[in-house]
Amino acid sequence: RAMEEWVAAFRQSPAGAATAALVLGGLLAGDFLLPVPSSVASTALGYFLGFAGGAAVSLAGMTVSSLAGYAIGALGGRPVAVRLVGERELERFRGLSSAWGDWFVVVTRPVPVLAEGAAFFAGIARMRFGRFLVLSTLANLGISAAYAAIGAFSYGVNSFLVAFAGAIVLPGAAMLIWRYLPRPRRR
């Protein structure tokens, strides 16, 4: 009961909203290097900031993370990316890129770890920056909106448990879909 009261007071305070935006948005921005559960952070942003505010901060943080991953891949090249995600994963991204084209950035975005690896690989492969920016931002927008909606809805039903369940179910579903998604034939 005390925790619920604290969360309600935190959520209503202007300092609470600013703190949630800075901390959770910052964690999302650092997701390319840190093991941040972006689904939980984005859902919490929807819970604390409402749908529009949560989606906007989540989008900004996720996009910064995507751009940082791209920059590390482009500037640091393969050796740095191998240290961050491993040789096996980079080869996997090469296959995804040849099978899906530039859309591999979009289809991997909701899958934890694959999203960051795809950004590194896009930089290494020298995907056109403008195209990467558009595709990753659109994918981030869709994901941010979905999680922020779950967070905002869960506050309406007064249950952070709903938000947490949504933050676990969506990436789990994305990983299952990814696993069983038919792969296009290589050309």
Side-chain angles (χ1 to χ4, degrees):
R1 178 93 179 129
M3 181 63 142
E4 289 175 17
E5 290 172 6
W6 180 86
V7 168
F10 180 84
R11 188 175 190 277
Q12 298 303 321
S13 114
T19 301
L22 287 172
V23 170
L24 296 170
L27 285 172
L28 288 171
D31 190 29
F32 67 97
L33 288 178
L34 304 170
V36 175
S38 59
S39 58
V40 173
S42 297
T43 303
L45 282 166
Y47 184 82
F48 288 116
L49 304 178
F51 172 72
V57 173
S58 174
L59 172 63
M62 291 176 84
T63 300
V64 166
S65 179
S66 295
L67 294 175
Y70 179 91
I72 289 170
L75 300 173
R78 187 174 184 85
V80 171
V82 166
R83 275 187 271 155
L84 292 171
V85 296
E87 183 70 43
R88 183 173 172 219
E89 288 302 313
L90 279 183
E91 287 308 312
R92 189 173 179 189
F93 291 115
R94 184 180 312 286
L96 290 172
S97 178
S98 65
W100 289 90
D102 291 349
W103 286 97
F104 81 99
V105 171
V106 174
V107 298
T108 59
R109 190 63 195 110
V111 183
V113 180
L114 287 183
E116 292 77 24
F120 292 137
F121 185 78
I124 292 168
R126 301 285 196 249
M127 175 189 268
R128 282 191 349 255
F129 177 75
R131 182 145 175 89
F132 175 79
L133 180 61
V134 167
L135 291 174
S136 63
T137 301
L138 289 174
N140 290 337
L141 176 62
I143 293 163
S144 294
Y147 287 132
I150 291 168
F153 168 75
S154 72
Y155 185 75
V157 297
N158 202 21
S159 172
F160 193 73
L161 183 59
V162 173
F164 185 74
I168 300 301
V169 169
L170 280 180
M175 289 178 2
L176 281 173
I177 290 168
W178 175 255
R179 182 177 191 150
Y180 295 106
L181 189 71
R183 306 288 190 252
R185 295 182 185 191
R186 292 185 186 193
R187 296 174 215 164

